[in-house]
Amino acid sequence: MNKIRRKNLQEIIGQLEDLKDSLEALQGEEEEYLENIPENLQNSDLYQKAEEAASNLDDAISSLEEAINSVEEATGKA
């Protein structure tokens, strides 16, 4: 891999890491929201939707981590 493509991939890794950080912050907010839902609403649709959203954000974070690792491997740095 030439220097220019490696540099471009490093920029993409930075962008992916920024996106992952943003998703982690949002997932943290969703988890905090879940923790603060009153006990009498913890079996409600509202709670289930929030729980599903937090889980989906966790899946997205994992996918971004995999993408970052794959791109790092492509650059020869992993």
Side-chain angles (χ1 to χ4, degrees):
M1 175 168 298
N2 71 25
K3 190 175 184 178
I4 293 171
R5 283 193 292 275
R6 191 172 291 114
K7 181 181 181 242
N8 288 339
L9 287 174
Q10 284 303 122
E11 289 175 9
I12 290 170
I13 290 169
Q15 292 168 354
L16 290 170
E17 288 173 342
D18 289 344
L19 290 171
K20 185 178 79 89
D21 291 344
S22 295
L23 284 176
E24 286 173 336
L26 289 170
Q27 195 225 16
E29 290 175 18
E30 196 66 21
E31 290 287 339
E32 185 176 333
Y33 173 73
L34 276 170
E35 291 172 6
N36 291 317
I37 289 179
E39 194 173 313
N40 64 330
L41 293 177
Q42 289 185 359
N43 290 323
S44 69
D45 286 340
L46 176 73
Y47 185 85
Q48 289 176 353
K49 287 180 183 179
E51 192 172 46
E52 186 175 325
S55 176
N56 288 334
L57 288 170
D58 189 51
D59 290 345
I61 291 164
S62 294
S63 294
L64 279 174
E65 288 171 346
E66 288 178 32
I68 290 166
N69 289 335
S70 293
V71 176
E72 285 175 342
E73 288 177 14
T75 65
K77 290 194 172 191

